[in-house]
């Protein structure tokens, strides 16, 4: 099984057709049937619970790294450079709310060397700051364990539609060894981190959640981002945990790039 046959968790919309829309790519071997449970297996987030969450107009999620820079997945965006085509929606859990803050992009910075395998992070500079709290990122592997929270407006079942309301769910850490076994050695352990209910499935990120955060509490009780929703086979299938960009690996590069935007 090659990485190119793994389903990315973004949408293919307009000119930004960056993710597979087929849940069973051509030539892939048969996989277990999807688990049609209601992010999958999650519940609605409360207004203001995760104030740094951002919905991006190409069909991805993101977080406010700073009040003017959004952290998302590389596979959600095009090449680095000036770009005014993306709208970031923030400040609400209901995307139809009249209180939503909408700001256009001005620049994209995609991880150097990104080619579809690993290094799945990118930054989007906004035309103006959004006066909301930001989410700090993990700079060491200290928090790359335990139970994580994921959030997004993506599908609540494999092949389902995008959501109006922000959803959240908890997913347990899956070791590199177990994730490698699940994906036949397709994981990049020093760049990716896995999470999910390995044997039973039922809870996971899904299409449209790409670029959103996987996070947990740090030693002070504050939220800290440890992952960026990247890819997986289907959504919430047993034996196929979600695969996330390991933020701590790229923290220094992310912060340095943000300072140049």
């Amino acid at each position: 099984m090659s990485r190119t046959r793994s389903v990315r968790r973004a949408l293919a919309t307009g000119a930004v057709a960056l993710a597979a829309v087929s849940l069973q790519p051509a030539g892939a071997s048969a996989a277990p049937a999807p688990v049609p449970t209601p992010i999958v297996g999650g519940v609605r987030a409360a207004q203001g619970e995760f104030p740094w969450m951002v919905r991006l107009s190409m069909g991805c999620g993101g977080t406010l790294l700073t009040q003017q820079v959004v952290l998302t997945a590389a596979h959600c965006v095009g090449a680095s450079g000036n770009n005014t085509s993306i709208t970031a929606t923030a400040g609400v859990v209901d995307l139809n709310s009249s209180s939503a803050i909408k700001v256009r992009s001005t620049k994209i910075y995609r991880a150097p060397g990104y080619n579809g395998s690993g290094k799945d992070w990118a930054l989007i500079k906004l035309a103006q700051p959004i006066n909301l709290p930001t989410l700090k990122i993990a700079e060491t592997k200290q928090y790359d364990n335990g139970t994580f929270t994921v959030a997004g407006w993506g599908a609540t079942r494999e092949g389902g539609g995008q959501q109006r309301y922000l959803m959240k769910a908890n997913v347990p850490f899956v070791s590199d060894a177990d994730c490698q076994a699940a994906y036949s050695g397709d994981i990049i352990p020093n760049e990716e981190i896995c999470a999910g209910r390995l044997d039973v499935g039922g809870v996971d990120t899904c299409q449209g959640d790409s670029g959103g955060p996987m996070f947990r509490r740090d030693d002070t009780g504050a939220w800290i981002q440890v992952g960026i929703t990247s890819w997986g086979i289907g959504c919430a299938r047993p034996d196929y945990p979600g695969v996330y960009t390991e933020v701590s690996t790229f923290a220094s590069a992310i912060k340095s790039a943000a300072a140049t935007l």
Side-chain angles (χ1 to χ4, degrees):
M1 176 177 61
S2 69
R3 292 176 59 83
T4 58
R5 284 151 62 182
S6 301
V7 178
R8 293 278 170 176
R9 298 196 169 170
L11 300 176
T13 55
V16 192
L18 298 167
V21 292
S22 170
L23 292 173
Q24 182 59 52
S29 58
V35 180
T37 56
I39 297 175
V40 179
V43 297
R44 282 189 191 178
Q47 177 61 36
E49 187 173 6
F50 309 127
W52 23 258
M53 284 293 304
V54 173
R55 179 65 169 175
L56 299 171
S57 55
M58 84 290 282
C60 284
T63 56
L64 290 174
L65 177 69
T66 73
Q67 291 188 329
Q68 201 167 353
V69 176
V70 174
L71 176 61
T72 188
H75 75 267
C76 288
V77 301
S80 297
N82 294 334
N83 187 307
T84 59
S85 68
I86 301 168
T87 299
T89 300
V92 293
V93 295
D94 177 1
L95 294 177
N96 291 348
S97 171
S98 60
S99 300
I101 301 167
K102 295 181 181 292
V103 181
R104 300 287 285 188
S105 62
T106 61
K107 292 181 181 179
I108 287 173
Y109 181 94
R110 191 169 65 181
Y114 172 73
N115 63 3
S117 296
K119 299 178 178 61
D120 195 8
W121 64 271
L123 301 174
I124 300 171
K125 185 175 182 180
L126 304 176
Q128 61 193 49
I130 295 176
N131 187 24
L132 288 171
T134 59
L135 179 60
K136 67 179 179 179
I137 59 175
E139 298 186 47
T140 72
K141 297 184 183 298
Q142 177 182 357
Y143 301 111
D144 291 355
N145 58 76
T147 298
F148 309 115
T149 300
V150 290
W153 288 270
T156 58
R157 62 180 177 84
E158 188 170 313
Q162 301 301 285
Q163 299 301 296
R164 170 178 173 179
Y165 297 96
L166 180 64
M167 303 293 288
K168 65 175 183 177
N170 292 330
V171 287
F173 170 73
V174 173
S175 71
D176 288 344
D178 286 342
C179 202
Q180 283 282 35
Y183 284 104
S184 303
D186 220 10
I187 306 302
I188 304 175
N190 63 336
E191 296 187 6
E192 295 172 327
I193 180 173
C194 301
R197 300 197 299 177
L198 186 60
D199 295 330
V200 297
V203 181
D204 197 4
T205 48
C206 201
Q207 277 69 53
D209 290 322
S210 277
M214 182 170 74
F215 50 100
R216 53 159 288 178
R217 298 286 188 179
D218 67 11
D219 287 345
T220 70
W223 290 117
I224 188 168
Q225 184 171 355
V226 299
I228 300 169
T229 303
S230 184
W231 66 282
I233 294 292
C235 304
R237 297 185 188 185
D239 304 318
Y240 291 106
V243 185
Y244 302 80
T245 303
E246 189 174 80
V247 168
S248 60
T249 296
F250 302 104
S252 178
I254 289 170
K255 294 178 72 173
S256 294
T260 68
L261 290 178

